[in-house]
Amino acid sequence: MMSETYTCGDHGALVSYLYDECTPGERRAIAAHLVICGACTGELIALGATREQLASWMPPDAQLGFRISPENSKSNVLRPARWWRQPMPAWAQAAAAIVIFATGTMLGALRGVMQPADGQGPATGRSNTTAAATTSSAAPITRADLVALEQRLRSEVSQTRATSQNVSASPADVRILERVRVMIDESEQRQRRELALRSAELVRDFDAQRNVDLARIERTLGQMDGTTGVEVAQQRQMLNYLMRVSQRGQ
Amino acid sequence: MNLTDDELVARSIGGDAESFNELIMRWERPIYALAYRVIGREEDARDVCQDTFLRAFRALPGFKGEAKFSSWLYRIALNLCRDWIRRQRRAPVVQMPEGIEPTELAAERGPVESIEELVGRRQLSAVVEEAMSVLPEEQRTAIILKEYHGMTFQEIADMQGCPLSTVKTRLYQGLTVLRRHLEKNGVALNKVEEVASSKVAGHITPRLVKR
């Protein structure tokens, strides 16, 4: 129990004051000391500020919802405890690593032993392909090989053609094909009609525009003619005037 | 009908599993939060939380009601946390850090909180978590029980099995270490400077520093 007098530097009492877990008498004693002691006041304020920062630490939101199942009282909580989440000792981890490594090495060695004598059964598919490619690129290709290859290809192509010709379509397929053909024809006719219509509209628009342009050109030419006529008349008047003036002078 | 913990405990002892489920619903969040703050791992905290209720259910017939049911639960949870820490010390396993997902951030953001404020809060939370992790277990537990679970000094002393004065010392030392750690990590304890600079004699009361 803390006494009702406060000794400077009594951290326990300061903590009691900080958490407001002291008697009124103790609180009064500490408050009276804080008035005169800057060090204790600073200490108290610093502790309080630290407490405020602690409020920011929130645990992550977790899905809990545990329930006791009355049917099975031996393992009551529905969510089973996960033994594999328990930390594994270092020696156990090392042992597991050694076992895995040894097993891998043994398997690798066994595969090497089981490899065929012709050397065409390497360990992985990737090296198999590489080896095959290497083998084929190294072997000499003769003319006879090429001829045989050509003949084989020709026979395969001809077989494929014969097969496709021999395929007989069922009546349903014929009907479908017929319908498709009719639909294609109708579509083509529609497109042709549409094209003719569009062409006629285009020609009509073109003619109308040409007529408008011609009319505009004629009008412009007429205006130019008029202007030219006026200018000729003015020049003629000027010429007459000059001639009259020159005759008077004589 | 809202039954008290004691009533639910009595019913549970009588074989009513639903009453115990009601107790789980009431206390699983605080127990999970306690476990998470003590051991710092979400998944393990969940496991500890589950084990706490499992043990409590099995030990329920022996619960005499001398302490509060919540105190009894906390004690079980703390013991499990201690076991977990002991196992960790014996066989330390490198744990992957649990990162921050942007989607979590978006979901967590409050309606009036900007994303910058939220990121700041998460960063501060991470710094506080890190600072707490450097404390000795006894100090950390004392601070957690006091700050986040509102226990009295006496309750913490009972829980930790130590004298009242030890609890106060642990709290003082823990808070002091935390303050230094936070300041070292650039967390500005603004209020210290503000309040200290504007300190007027006689104006310092517990209310200023109490949350």
Side-chain angles (χ1 to χ4, degrees):
Chain A
M1 193 70 182
M2 200 179 82
S3 68
E4 296 203 354
T5 57
Y6 174 74
T7 314
C8 187
D10 183 352
H11 297 141
L14 215 54
V15 166
S16 298
Y17 187 80
L18 177 70
Y19 288 105
D20 204 12
E21 269 196 59
C22 47
T23 64
E26 289 161 357
R27 191 180 301 124
R28 271 196 302 276
I30 296 169
H33 175 77
L34 291 173
V35 171
I36 53 167
C37 181
C40 285
T41 305
E43 188 77 19
L44 188 68
I45 293 167
L47 293 176
T50 308
R51 286 188 64 202
E52 287 192 5
Q53 301 300 335
L54 293 182
S56 68
W57 183 26
M58 299 300 290
D61 199 21
Q63 297 234 328
L64 299 173
F66 304 126
R67 283 181 69 77
I68 290 291
S69 168
E71 288 84 27
N72 185 3
S73 60
K74 286 289 175 192
S75 61
N76 312 96
V77 179
L78 288 180
R79 191 167 159 268
R82 279 158 294 182
W83 58 268
W84 63 86
R85 300 206 72 86
Q86 301 289 330
M88 192 186 281
W91 61 265
Q93 291 179 47
I98 288 167
V99 168
I100 290 167
F101 179 73
T103 310
T105 313
M106 201 169 66
L107 282 174
L110 277 176
R111 292 194 70 173
V113 169
M114 290 165 71
Q115 191 173 336
D118 58 1
Q120 291 187 357
T124 64
R126 187 188 175 92
S127 51
N128 192 3
T129 312
T130 316
T134 314
T135 310
S136 62
S137 63
I141 300 169
T142 61
R143 181 178 289 277
D145 290 340
L146 289 174
V147 169
L149 180 65
E150 187 187 355
Q151 279 177 354
R152 206 180 71 212
L153 286 172
R154 276 180 193 285
S155 67
E156 280 177 5
V157 168
S158 61
Q159 273 175 9
T160 311
R161 276 184 188 156
T163 311
S164 62
Q165 280 169 1
N166 287 339
V167 170
S168 58
S170 67
D173 293 341
V174 170
R175 275 200 301 277
I176 289 169
L177 279 171
E178 200 58 40
R179 278 188 61 192
V180 168
R181 201 168 291 135
V182 168
M183 284 167 75
I184 290 170
D185 288 345
E186 284 174 354
S187 172
E188 280 179 355
Q189 281 176 7
R190 257 201 318 277
Q191 283 176 2
R192 251 183 248 125
R193 277 201 302 273
E194 190 77 12
L195 183 66
L197 194 67
R198 295 280 170 219
S199 303
E201 279 178 359
L202 196 66
V203 169
R204 197 174 59 236
D205 290 348
F206 180 75
D207 283 346
Q209 189 63 40
R210 194 181 64 173
N211 288 337
V212 168
D213 290 344
L214 282 172
R216 191 180 296 141
I217 289 166
E218 278 175 9
R219 199 166 51 244
T220 310
L221 283 174
Q223 284 173 352
M224 283 171 70
D225 280 350
T227 310
T228 312
V230 170
E231 283 175 355
V232 169
Q234 283 174 347
Q235 283 174 0
R236 196 171 291 146
Q237 278 178 2
M238 180 64 72
L239 195 61
N240 290 338
Y241 173 74
L242 288 172
M243 282 183 69
R244 275 200 304 274
V245 170
S246 63
Q247 282 169 2
R248 273 180 206 160
Q250 288 171 0
Chain B
M1 191 171 58
N2 232 352
L3 297 175
T4 63
D5 281 0
D6 290 341
E7 288 166 336
L8 288 171
V9 166
R11 287 183 178 209
S12 304
I13 291 171
D16 181 8
E18 275 312 305
S19 294
F20 195 78
N21 283 331
E22 178 68 29
L23 286 167
I24 294 177
M25 253 169 60
R26 274 184 201 180
W27 290 103
E28 65 181 0
R29 293 265 153 211
I31 294 293
Y32 163 74
L34 171 72
Y36 176 79
R37 287 192 174 110
V38 173
I39 67 184
R41 300 284 309 173
E42 189 180 339
E43 279 296 317
D44 296 316
R46 258 206 300 247
D47 288 345
V48 164
C49 182
Q50 175 187 291
D51 281 356
T52 301
F53 287 107
L54 196 55
R55 286 196 184 195
F57 186 74
R58 286 175 182 163
L60 209 54
F63 177 65
K64 302 293 176 208
E66 288 154 355
K68 281 197 296 185
F69 174 71
S70 56
S71 303
W72 185 60
L73 268 185
Y74 277 120
R75 193 189 296 271
I76 296 172
L78 274 181
N79 285 336
L80 287 169
C81 288
R82 238 173 256 144
D83 291 346
W84 187 91
I85 290 167
R86 229 172 276 139
R87 278 201 306 272
Q88 286 291 303
R89 277 188 196 141
R90 263 206 312 269
V93 174
V94 177
Q95 304 274 18
M96 288 292 287
E98 293 172 333
I100 298 170
E101 290 291 326
T103 48
E104 283 175 19
L105 276 178
E108 192 191 323
R109 187 159 66 99
V112 292
E113 189 175 28
S114 74
I115 199 81
E116 290 81 9
E117 286 169 337
L118 177 63
V119 170
R121 184 159 62 82
R122 289 295 295 258
Q123 283 171 345
L124 179 59
S125 175
V127 172
V128 171
E129 186 169 357
E130 190 200 333
M132 288 289 283
S133 71
V134 302
L135 293 181
E137 186 205 326
E138 295 80 14
Q139 291 177 14
R140 186 167 70 244
T141 305
I143 289 177
I144 289 167
L145 292 175
K146 187 69 196 162
E147 290 291 336
Y148 302 103
H149 298 276
M151 290 192 181
T152 62
F153 295 146
Q154 190 58 57
E155 284 170 330
I156 298 171
D158 292 343
M159 200 78 73
Q160 294 197 310
C162 65
L164 207 74
S165 57
T166 307
V167 172
K168 291 179 188 176
T169 306
R170 284 174 182 172
L171 285 170
Y172 175 79
Q173 288 173 343
L175 286 175
T176 306
V177 172
L178 281 178
R179 186 184 76 196
R180 286 190 198 124
H181 194 93
L182 292 176
E183 283 172 346
K184 203 174 79 182
N185 282 279
V187 176
L189 301 175
N190 294 332
K191 295 202 169 126
V192 180
E193 291 144 25
E194 283 167 19
V195 180
S197 62
S198 63
K199 176 186 159 279
V200 180
H203 284 209
I204 304 298
T205 66
R207 237 179 229 113
L208 255 179
V209 289
K210 197 167 185 286
R211 272 195 298 137

